[in-house]
Amino acid sequence: MIARAEFLLRAGIAERTFEAWIEAGWIGSGPDLSEAELARAALIRDLTERLGVNEEGVDVALALLDQIHGLRRALRQVGAALAALPEPARAQVLAALRGEAREDEG
């Protein structure tokens, strides 16, 4: 975890900017922040400073990014559940995902 002062230094942002981002819901407000939130801050800086994206655009970009991360988590869970199945069941599910008809469905 990263202390707030170190986070501000590493993110290259002022306290006022940090507070605005918290208020916008773009980053968390806890006393210790994560590397993921630091990466998110870098993305927000790139979007706003380098690319000139406005606040509404940042909202959309972050919402889409959060959806992508949620989908990736869900796919990992599906993959883990699939890997835990016995081989015949796993083969059947994989065939269904590929759109292949089962042999016994004649």
Side-chain angles (χ1 to χ4, degrees):
M1 298 310 264
I2 306 167
R4 187 176 180 133
E6 181 184 351
F7 184 92
L8 295 174
L9 182 65
R10 289 177 61 189
I13 59 174
E15 180 79 27
R16 191 171 71 228
T17 300
F18 180 73
E19 291 296 331
W21 290 1
I22 291 171
E23 191 172 314
W26 295 349
I27 56 176
S29 61
D32 291 317
L33 299 147
S34 69
E35 291 290 333
E37 288 167 310
L38 185 60
R40 190 174 180 96
L43 172 62
I44 295 166
R45 280 194 62 199
D46 282 346
L47 290 171
T48 57
E49 295 175 10
R50 289 186 50 228
L51 301 174
V53 176
N54 63 19
E55 288 184 19
E56 293 80 15
V58 173
D59 284 336
V60 170
L62 293 177
L64 291 171
L65 183 64
D66 291 342
Q67 287 179 13
I68 289 169
H69 286 297
L71 290 169
R72 291 177 73 189
R73 273 190 302 275
L75 283 174
R76 280 193 300 273
Q77 290 173 331
V78 168
L82 186 59
L85 291 174
E87 179 53 36
R90 185 172 45 244
Q92 186 178 0
V93 171
L94 289 173
L97 290 172
R98 291 185 194 112
E100 299 169 3
R102 289 177 40 198
E103 291 180 20
D104 61 344
E105 285 184 354

